[in-house]
Structure formats: C-alpha cells, structure tokens
Amino acid sequence: MVAPMVSSSWTCGSIPISKLNPSLRTKNGAKRTSFTLLNPQPRAALVEATPPPPPPQLPPPTTAAPKNGSIKVLELPGNSADNLNAETRAMARAANASVYSPEFVASKYGSQPLKVVGRAFQILSELGLFWLKLFLDQRNGVLDQNMRIRAIDLRNIFTRLGPTFVKLGQGLSTRPDICPPEFLDELSELQDGLPTFPDEKAFSCIEKELGQSIDSIFSSITPSAVAAASLGQVYKAQLKYSGNVVAVKVQRPGIEESIGLDFYLIRGLGILINKYVDTITTDVVALIDEFARRVFQELNYVQEGQNARRFKNLYADKEDIIVPDVFWEYTSGKILTMEWVEGVKLNDQEAIERQGLKVLDLVNIGIQCSLRQLLEHGYFHADPHPGNLLATPEGKLAFLDFGMMSEAPEEARFAIIGHVVHMVNRDYEAMARDYYALDFLSTDVDVSPIVPALRNFFDDALTYTVSELNFKALVDGLGNVFYQYPFNVPAYYALIFRSLTVLEGLALYADPNFKLLAASYPYFAKRLLTDPNPYLRDALIELLFKDGEFRWNRLENLLVQGRQDRDFSAKEALQPVLKVLLSPDGEDVRNLVIKEAVRVSDAFTLGTISETYQYIPDFMRTLIFNGNANGALIMSKTEIQSMIELRNRVLRVWGLLQSSNGFDPALLQPILQVLQQPEARRLGRRVMGGITQRLAVRFLQQLLWVPTTASR
C-alpha cells in the first residue's frame, strides 16, 4: 500500500482539503462546480460497486474479472497491464519537446537582435557590477576578506536573474574546480523560491496538453499552486476516475524561450572566458553545453517520468526508500502527474522529531542510497538539495524531482573505491595517479607537483582515522587542491559529492559529532570484501598487504565495519581474494600468502606452547626445559607476546565470520572445491613445506640451546 505524498520539494506545506476554493473557472470563464475530497484512502486497488464512465479520450484502466456482478477492481498504474501503452501515448504527446542544440539556439536568437540586446543588458548590468566589486576588492587587497560577501552577492544576483541563473548557480555549487569554497557554500543554498505564475494559465496548459477539461480529469484540485520552482509549479489533486491523490506539476509558460535565450548569451560569455581567462583551466563552453542539455531534458516531463521509473526500479527495492509512481495517462511534455507523498523536508528537523522519527536514521538511509547510486549502478539524482528528500510518517525516505539525472561510468565507480583505499593507506602518489582513472586529469598532466599538496592536506586532516574526518572538510580541502591545479572534475562526481555533503550537514544539526565517512565505511568494507570485480580485488589486496606482510588488523576492521551493512554476506566474504590467489597471474600474492600462512601456523604452535608452559609447576620446568629460565621457548617475551596477539587476532577474525549474517559451514564447500585444483594443491604443499621448515628451525634452536653460566 502506498501512502499519499506531500512533496516538500514541491510544497511549502500541504493545503487541507477542507480549505479548497469552492469554485474554479473553465477556460471561457464560466463558473465550475466545486469538487470535494473527503478523507481519500489510497489503496492498492480501489473497489467500487459501479465504476463511473471513463473520461473522454482515455481508455479505461484494466479491470480484474469481477467475482460477482457488481464488484470490479481498478488497478493502479504500477500494476496496470496498459501502463506501457499509456507511457507510449505520453511520449507521443511530448514528441515536440525541445532539445538543446548550440547550432539551433544560435540560429534562432541570432536573428532576434533586439531581444538579445535587451536581455544581455539586464544580465551585464547585474554581473558587471559584481565583477567590478571583485576587481576593486583585488586591487585593494581585500579579496580574501570579502570573498563570503561577494558569494552572497552572486547568489542574490542569480535569484533576480531568474530560472536559468538559479539552475546555473545550483550547478556551480557542485564545481570545486571552478568556484572557491565560499562560493560553493553560498550557491549550494540557492533555492528555487520564485513567484508563481497565474493559475488560469496553468489550468489552460493542463487542458491543452491532455486534451481534456479539468473537471473531466480531477474530482478536486487546489485552486492555487502549493509550490513554485524555477521551471514550474505544483498542484495537489484527486483523479476523478480512480480517486488517487496526485501531484500535478505544470511547466512555467514561455520557459523554453527564456532559457534558450539565456543559454545563447551564457555560451557566448563562455567562449570569451575560454579565450581570455587563463586562471580557469576547465572548458567552460563544454560545461555550459552539457548543463544546457540537462536543463532542456528537465523541461521534458515525460523524460522526468521515465527517470523516476528507472530510479524506482534500481533503488526502491529497499523497504525504506520510496519513489512515487507516474500516472502516464495524465502526463505530457509539460504536465507531470505523480503520486502525492505525505512527508516533510529532510532539513525540517523539528517536524521530523514531532513524528517520532530520528534525522540520523533518515540521513543514513540517504547515505546508503547515495552510495548505491554512485558506486553500484552509477545512475543518480543530479539535483541534490534537501527539498528533494522527504521523511514520511512511516520513517521512510522519499526521493522526488527526477528532472536532472546523471550517470557515472563503471570504470570511474571502481576507481572511487580504489581512491578511498589509497587515502586510508596515505599513499599520496597512488592517489595522484588515481586522478587519471577518475578522469580528473588528462594523461599528459604531470601529477608529481600535486603529491605534496595532497600530503600537506591529508597529513593534517587524517590526524586519527579517515572515518573521523568530516566529509565537508575533505571536499573543501580537495576543492582547494582542484582549484589550484588543472583539474576537470566530471559533473557526476561533483554532484554526488555535493549530495553527500548536504546529507552530512543535515545530520550535524542533530548530532555535531556525526561523521559521514564513518557512516559510509560499512558499505565500502562490504564492497571490498565481497565484490569480485578485478579492480576491487586488487584494491582489497593492496589494503591487506603492506611491505610483504598481511595486516590482520585491517581485515578485522573491514569485517567489523562490513557486518554493519545489512547486505553483507559471510558466504561472499573473502571469495575475491581466494579467486585472485589461485589465478594464473596471482604468483606474487601466493608468495605473500605462503609467508603469512607459515607465520600464522608458527603463532598458533608457539602461542599454545607458551600458554601451556604457564600451567607447569615451577619445580618441573627446569627438568623439562633444560634449565631455561625464560620459559619453554628460545624467544624474548616481546616476541612471544607478538605471536599470541597474532593468534588471537586470527581467532577474532574467524569469530567475526562465524557470527556474521548468512554464515553457514557449507560456505567452506566452495573453498574446499577450489582447493582440489592443481594450483591449490601446489600452494598447499608449499605452505606445509614452509611450516615444517619453520618448526624444524624452532626445534633445533630449543635442542641446541646451552644455558648461560652465571659469572662469579
């Protein structure tokens, strides 16, 4: 059962049904009968004694075979066999949706000089004064002191210049390679708080796009918009045929025209920046074109509906994630009808707590979903701000507004995890080389000058552990590095990092000690321990082995963290290492494993002997051990203690595996099967040979030991 939704990214708060305007007007101005919503109850299926006739030009939903002559079940869109056909019809209605093309925009607005000059004057008068202030600040040596003030000025200017610049400002807020940190902070607060357009125009647009009158579609609709965004505004309504409560988003009139003109001018400015501004190394025109394409895609509401459906299929498999369904029969290029979700914005902590919910629980849900978006499927929400995340009364997290989505390539997703491993190891040379794989730098850029900058930042930042590092401090610190060197951060990284920064900021209001990286660790640990991808197998081996020795403390920590992820499976843990161990090109790893297996066997044997020795009476020790006052072994106390600690750590690791979800002794069966392979048998013989040799050396040491005679 799906709860009705109050979309906080769309609403400033829901309007009670009892306060609906008693009348609406048709296109010709005639008074329309009011429609009343009486405590609507959403259901998986609506049961009626006699279903009303279908609205004009719309086929009725699929009906289940009636069990008697009077009852029929009307299925919701998510269950309807006709849903695909309805989506096809919606696509047909959006066939003429605009698509961004630099050539098309240039040809269209190049022939309208008066309109171009008028808008250019408005933009230049605003931005020109801003650049003048920056110039004077620099000349007077107060640029750094006034950076925050200028960032606030730019945020206000973008708000005044309208939808295109609001979107542009939000886009810049995710670009640490272009903007200094102060500007990133201020622009990230840029909201779509624009005035509404006349409701009559919105209702006229609905009727024109869907080819039906308002009262044939809805039994009720709010008389005015419940929220306005940069590209459109939203109404709350009830569908007449099914009774479902929905959110109806209507596109702002003339928005394509104004945005197209603005991007024509902005692109011209980008050409000048590329040509004359040496301090910005990023291809500004390419960024503008990419951003314009995304904004124009956002203007196609059918595309947004398809984005929502894909997002739902990928991420709403978790019980704590909600993605609203799309009502395709009532959707077009300029109209989007979706489920209405009851809830409050994720940044409204007081309202969340009044519902008996915890902000941190919801933030953790958002973090886990964001990590899956970035690192598993690579398809993610590209408009990261709190208004697009709702806390429902049931404690679930609802994602809204799917106009701007993005994708990260598979290679980049794995490279991010590898980068985290190098950061944990403080391997700054490897971190610098990662920027090639991450596509931050072209391969002809020398990374050696970047290594000291990374070392200077992380040696200060990583005073304790990575999990204790504030994520925003990490992003800001890396942003300073990116800003100083020729980095070109792909948009998909910047957007998801900004999203995670927003989530951490929300959590810090509830808990000043919250650390996003600590909350993310279980996911990273689980992926490293269970993912068979070759890149991640190499990253795991790199993390576990250092200077020829196996780091059991790292494995123990990975298991402790990974077990906290609800998808962790003991059956899959360490299988990637086993596969690479027995692979044809795993000789180097096999040599390390043989060495470690001998060391562990030595630790178990000697540790047991040492502990057994403690229980032997004193009068027998001299007789049995040839007068060795140090104990049963020819080893220092420090060396013996080290052996015991190694043995205990191995036992703790095994205990962690045994107590993990999904542990079953049968999980050893695949390992035993693998051990039957020729390579595994050869490996086993080498291990046993090493153990035997080590024990023989220990035995001879003990046998040939000569007690030292005390000097007189």
Side-chain angles (χ1 to χ4, degrees):
M1 184 176 295
V2 181
M5 307 174 62
V6 173
S7 162
S8 252
S9 70
W10 293 337
T11 72
C12 303
S14 62
I15 293 181
I17 300 302
S18 60
K19 295 185 179 181
L20 289 177
N21 194 318
S23 65
L24 297 171
R25 294 189 178 273
T26 60
K27 286 190 294 183
N28 59 15
K31 201 168 185 179
R32 178 175 294 144
T33 304
S34 64
F35 310 110
T36 304
L37 289 174
L38 296 176
N39 194 22
Q41 297 296 326
R43 293 167 286 177
L46 302 174
V47 181
E48 300 179 335
T50 307
Q57 302 178 8
L58 286 180
T62 302
T63 57
K67 296 181 180 179
N68 55 49
S70 60
I71 302 295
K72 290 186 178 181
V73 178
L74 307 179
E75 298 180 359
L76 295 184
N79 299 323
S80 174
D82 290 336
N83 202 32
L84 184 59
N85 292 333
E87 182 179 348
T88 301
R89 290 191 289 272
M91 292 173 63
R93 287 191 289 269
N96 294 325
S98 298
V99 177
Y100 175 78
S101 164
E103 296 76 19
F104 172 76
V105 169
S107 64
K108 179 176 181 179
Y109 297 102
S111 60
Q112 303 180 44
L114 293 179
K115 181 178 291 188
V116 171
V117 170
R119 180 59 173 168
F121 178 78
Q122 181 184 5
I123 295 172
L124 290 175
S125 61
E126 291 276 7
L127 294 180
L129 181 60
F130 171 76
W131 287 112
L132 178 61
K133 291 178 180 178
L134 280 181
F135 173 75
L136 293 176
D137 284 346
Q138 185 175 25
R139 185 170 183 177
N140 296 329
V142 294
L143 182 62
D144 292 339
Q145 297 94 308
N146 290 345
M147 191 69 75
R148 180 69 61 179
I149 296 174
R150 296 298 162 247
I152 295 173
D153 288 344
L154 186 61
R155 171 166 56 83
N156 293 332
I157 289 171
F158 281 173
T159 301
R160 289 195 298 270
L161 288 176
T164 308
F165 286 85
V166 169
K167 288 293 181 185
L168 181 62
Q170 290 176 343
L172 287 174
S173 73
T174 66
R175 303 299 311 197
D177 53 335
I178 296 178
C179 296
E182 294 84 357
F183 282 78
L184 296 177
D185 290 341
E186 289 300 326
L187 294 179
S188 66
E189 296 180 5
L190 196 61
Q191 298 298 316
D192 292 351
L194 298 176
T196 61
F197 58 87
D199 299 302
E200 292 77 10
K201 290 187 177 181
F203 296 144
S204 176
C205 180
I206 293 173
E207 293 179 331
K208 179 180 179 181
E209 288 288 310
L210 301 182
Q212 304 170 63
S213 62
I214 290 287
D215 55 355
S216 68
I217 303 173
F218 307 113
S219 57
S220 175
I221 187 169
T222 50
S224 58
V226 295
S230 58
L231 303 184
Q233 60 194 37
V234 177
Y235 297 82
K236 182 178 181 180
Q238 185 181 39
L239 293 177
K240 188 170 186 177
Y241 188 70
S242 66
N244 291 104
V245 181
V246 294
V248 184
K249 183 157 71 169
V250 185
Q251 194 169 110
R252 192 175 290 273
I255 190 71
E256 293 180 3
E257 180 75 15
S258 63
I259 285 181
L261 176 58
D262 284 344
F263 276 119
Y264 171 71
L265 293 169
I266 293 171
R267 193 174 192 275
L269 178 62
I271 293 173
L272 295 177
I273 291 175
N274 275 356
K275 188 173 182 179
Y276 297 110
V277 181
D278 296 333
T279 56
I280 297 179
T281 58
T282 302
D283 186 346
V284 176
V285 172
L287 284 178
I288 292 171
D289 286 342
E290 173 66 17
F291 187 71
R293 276 190 287 270
R294 294 185 186 280
V295 172
F296 270 79
Q297 287 176 3
E298 194 174 356
L299 291 175
N300 183 349
Y301 286 175
V302 170
Q303 180 65 54
E304 179 174 348
Q306 292 172 330
N307 293 343
R309 182 196 60 207
R310 181 181 177 189
F311 192 90
K312 183 183 183 76
N313 291 338
L314 289 175
Y315 307 114
D317 57 330
K318 304 300 181 184
E319 60 183 13
D320 44 20
I321 297 292
I322 290 179
V323 177
D325 276 323
V326 179
F327 289 79
W328 292 108
E329 287 290 10
Y330 311 102
T331 295
S332 72
K334 297 182 180 180
I335 306 296
L336 177 61
T337 303
M338 301 183 75
E339 282 182 283
W340 182 273
V341 177
E342 290 290 351
V344 295
K345 291 182 180 180
L346 201 58
N347 60 352
D348 192 345
Q349 182 177 343
E350 292 183 2
I352 291 174
E353 292 177 349
R354 282 197 300 268
Q355 298 183 65
L357 305 176
K358 295 181 179 179
V359 174
L360 289 182
D361 291 342
L362 293 159
V363 167
N364 275 314
I365 294 172
I367 290 170
Q368 297 305 313
C369 188
S370 294
L371 291 171
R372 292 184 69 204
Q373 291 176 54
L374 176 63
L375 300 176
E376 284 186 26
H377 303 290
Y379 183 71
F380 63 88
H381 204 291
D383 193 8
H385 63 78
N388 287 337
L389 298 171
L390 286 186
T392 72
E394 298 82 13
K396 299 182 180 182
L397 186 65
F399 283 78
L400 307 172
D401 196 349
F402 303 92
M404 295 189 73
M405 309 297 289
S406 189
E407 293 191 66
E410 184 179 36
E411 298 79 8
R413 304 201 298 269
F414 295 128
I416 291 173
I417 298 179
H419 195 58
V420 172
V421 170
H422 294 146
M423 183 171 64
V424 171
N425 286 341
R426 304 194 187 203
D427 187 345
Y428 304 124
E429 288 79 6
M431 283 184 68
R433 291 192 299 272
D434 286 338
Y435 296 127
Y436 296 138
L438 291 168
D439 203 24
F440 283 15
L441 294 170
S442 62
T443 54
D444 59 349
V445 175
D446 180 16
V447 296
S448 55
I450 301 171
V451 174
L454 292 173
R455 180 177 290 107
N456 291 338
F457 170 67
F458 281 105
D459 279 349
D460 291 335
L462 301 181
T463 306
Y464 300 101
T465 65
V466 175
S467 63
E468 295 173 317
L469 179 63
N470 181 283
F471 186 75
K472 185 178 185 302
L474 172 62
V475 172
D476 289 346
L478 287 176
N480 284 325
V481 176
F482 294 165
Y483 188 66
Q484 296 171 18
Y485 294 93
F487 282 88
N488 183 16
V489 181
Y492 42 81
Y493 291 123
L495 290 169
I496 203 71
F497 289 162
R498 178 57 59 182
S499 178
L500 291 171
T501 303
V502 168
L503 287 170
E504 183 179 55
L506 294 172
L508 288 172
Y509 282 110
D511 179 8
N513 296 318
F514 178 85
K515 296 294 185 290
L516 183 138
L517 288 174
S520 304
Y521 246 40
Y523 176 88
F524 278 98
K526 184 257 301 186
R527 287 293 300 277
L528 282 172
L529 289 170
T530 62
D531 199 308
N533 178 270
Y535 190 97
L536 297 187
R537 290 204 305 263
D538 292 344
L540 176 60
I541 291 170
E542 183 178 348
L543 185 65
L544 295 180
F545 287 94
K546 183 178 182 181
D547 298 330
E549 289 192 2
F550 189 83
R551 297 188 284 186
W552 287 95
N553 61 323
R554 286 285 171 86
L555 177 58
E556 183 180 359
N557 184 55
L558 283 175
L559 286 170
V560 169
Q561 295 292 334
R563 280 157 36 99
Q564 298 177 29
D565 189 283
R566 64 184 179 187
D567 295 329
F568 178 80
S569 170
K571 185 176 181 179
E572 298 174 356
L574 303 182
Q575 292 289 335
V577 175
L578 183 64
K579 291 180 180 178
V580 75
L581 180 64
L582 301 177
S583 66
D585 55 352
E587 181 63 26
D588 291 340
V589 178
R590 283 194 287 274
N591 290 332
L592 293 174
V593 168
I594 291 169
K595 178 181 177 182
E596 190 60 27
V598 171
R599 195 167 76 97
V600 169
S601 299
D602 201 25
F604 268 82
T605 302
L606 300 181
T608 302
I609 292 174
S610 177
E611 289 187 342
T612 302
Y613 176 80
Q614 305 302 320
Y615 295 98
I616 299 177
D618 292 340
F619 74 91
M620 296 181 61
R621 293 179 182 175
T622 303
L623 296 176
I624 296 175
F625 298 108
N626 196 25
N628 181 7
N630 292 327
L633 304 170
I634 310 303
M635 298 172 63
S636 67
K637 291 182 179 180
T638 301
E639 190 176 1
I640 292 174
Q641 187 59 41
S642 176
M643 288 291 182
I644 293 174
E645 174 58 30
L646 174 59
R647 183 198 63 176
N648 293 342
R649 193 178 292 277
V650 174
L651 290 174
R652 285 198 300 271
V653 167
W654 175 245
L656 288 169
L657 284 172
Q658 282 184 306
S659 59
S660 298
N661 291 333
F663 178 83
D664 186 333
L667 69 84
L668 297 176
Q669 184 176 356
I671 299 178
L672 296 176
Q673 292 174 350
V674 171
L675 292 178
Q676 300 303 312
Q677 299 176 9
E679 186 58 50
R681 289 198 295 270
R682 286 193 293 271
L683 177 63
R685 288 194 294 269
R686 292 171 66 185
V687 171
M688 290 305 300
I691 294 173
T692 302
Q693 183 179 6
R694 175 65 67 89
L695 291 176
V697 170
R698 293 290 187 189
F699 177 75
L700 288 174
Q701 284 179 338
Q702 186 68 35
L703 186 65
L704 300 176
W705 177 78
V706 177
T708 303
T709 303
S711 60
R712 296 183 182 275

